[in-house]
Amino acid sequence: MKRYPHTSRILVALDCIVFGFDGSQLKVLLIKRNFAPEKGKWSLLGGFLDHDEDMNDAGNRILYELTGLKNIYFEELKTFSGVNRDKVERTISVCHFALINIHAHNPDAVKSKNAYWYTLQSLPDLIFDHREMVDLALQKLRYKAALHPIGFELLPPQFTLPQLQKLYEAIYNEKLDRRNFSRKIISTHLLIDTGQKNEGGQTKKAILYALDKHKYQKQFNAFHYFISGFGTSA
Amino acid sequence: MKRYPHTSRILVALDCIVFGFDGSQLKVLLIKRNFAPEKGKWSLLGGFLDHDEDMNDAGNRILYELTGLKNIYFEELKTFSGVNRDKVERTISVCHFALINIHAHNPDAVKSKNAYWYTLQSLPDLIFDHREMVDLALQKLRYKAALHPIGFELLPPQFTLPQLQKLYEAIYNEKLDRRNFSRKIISTHLLIDTGQKNEGGQTKKAILYALDKHKYQKQFNAFHYFISGFGTSA
DNA sequence: TACAAAATGTGTCAAACTGACACAATTTTA
DNA sequence: TAAAATTGTGTCAGTTTGACACATTTTGTA
């Protein structure tokens, strides 16, 4: 047999919400689409699944082309499969989201592809169902970061507790109690005190921590409840 | 423009792990594949995405054809996209899992399609990557049922606390403390005491509860921590 | 008919955790 | 040199958790 009978073949795309954190705000990487239709409009990072690659290959390829980064944290979110979501031809899109250290990506690659970082509050109009994808990705990020140490993927290798707290406050758009947050993070034993303090700081210098990668991987699926009150019935 | 240039179109399938609970064991619905290749071998419930339906339509169609049930709980798990996972032609499969009340499905429809319920301990060999899908689905069910009131989908409309506990014990394959489990479930306020007791029981008759559907939907995304110790670093 | 056996419903208690809040130490700046 | 901003750590009452005991109900059987 060469093909299955009575079936229809369609295009499979991969779109990805790339999150970054600049120290005070959560940002999303958007790209100016350079082919028709909707050429020149804002879109998520994406591409078509090639005949000789699986989804993981495609994700790595697409993320590498734009950011110059390998081994990026990304995970699958949902398949968007509306019949008319692309007017040219039937295309389903497997939506992913990625978390990167915003200071580590290659700004030249980003610029040359006409990509820019947008805050969630100032997103431009997006093509197709990409806005829906962003909303879902934020929802998933909030869910997952409340339970698992996923937030560290958005920070540089060394960071302070106040920086980590600012990240969580940006993700949930709410203030957290400094003392309780600190207690929670320290009690995970996921952080290693580097013995150093952050330079260029203001007022009191904070301790620089690094992630204990071994414990991080081992405990990744453990529940941590980083955010109190998140997920309650309210 | 009629089509995107330099792209490859592929088949999109939907496969679904259908879970059921017979009162003591967690079971999976498997089907004898009735077309080549691998005809006659065991497979998950599945089908191809048609040109005029989205993934949700396809899932409902496929589940209805086999079980005779509508409004089944099902959710997307992951897209399996290995290049050679189907030898006939490139096919990606969007894997889902479904939870049904095992006593509500249409046994004639199931029988006529050559489908049977298997326990997780006695699964036959499955085609393609379907075994991997089952393992992932069980993992996801365990994860989700520990946090959200998803387990009720596997029970009849009225059930007792001991029945609910047996379900959780089957899902996690471990014994739970009856008193602490009861306290946890009652404290969610998701159950309504029907005032009735279960008939045909043994020894003491237990209270029959029904799910408070309104609260269930409202609190579905809340965290409940049904299973203590699940997701800890151990 | 009464009693053992099995299963169900509810209660107790110490340990751990949570949320709210106070105080001391460090660094910059006026 | 002192005020202001920021960071690190501690306290304490209220809540939740895990381990465990006891009383009640129903069946079956001596």
Side-chain angles (χ1 to χ4, degrees), chain B residues 23-24 162 165-181 226-228:
Chain B
S24 67
Q165 184 176 341
K166 283 193 188 74
L167 167 61
Y168 274 87
E169 290 177 338
I171 293 176
Y172 296 98
N173 198 29
E174 73 183 47
K175 286 277 167 207
L176 300 174
D177 183 273
R178 187 168 46 90
R179 298 150 289 189
N180 294 336
F181 182 78
F226 290 111
I227 303 302
S228 61

Side-chain angles (χ1 to χ4, degrees), chain A residues 86-106:
Chain A
D86 189 319
K87 292 119 204 165
V88 175
E89 65 173 298
R90 178 88 195 267
T91 307
I92 67 168
S93 170
V94 183
C95 176
H96 291 65
F97 77 97
L99 306 179
I100 73 171
N101 167 9
I102 203 170
H103 302 110
H105 76 274
N106 182 346

Side-chain angles (χ1 to χ4, degrees), chain A residues 20 41 45 60 62 70 74 127 132 142 159 186 211:
Chain A
K41 297 213 180 156
L45 180 56
N60 280 310
I62 291 167
K70 295 194 176 184
F74 73 103
I127 64 165
E132 205 183 322
R142 283 179 171 160
F159 51 87
I186 296 297
L211 190 59

Side-chain angles (χ1 to χ4, degrees), chain B residues 222-234:
Chain B
F223 292 149
H224 283 292
Y225 318 127
F226 290 111
I227 303 302
S228 61
F230 182 78
T232 47
S233 49

Side-chain angles (χ1 to χ4, degrees), chain B residues 31 39 124:
Chain B
I31 190 167
K39 182 169 176 173

Side-chain angles (χ1 to χ4, degrees), chain B residues 177-180 183-184 202-205 228-229:
Chain B
D177 183 273
R178 187 168 46 90
R179 298 150 289 189
N180 294 336
R183 181 177 57 195
K184 247 178 214 180
Q202 356 58 311
T203 66
K204 186 169 176 179
K205 292 184 171 76
S228 61

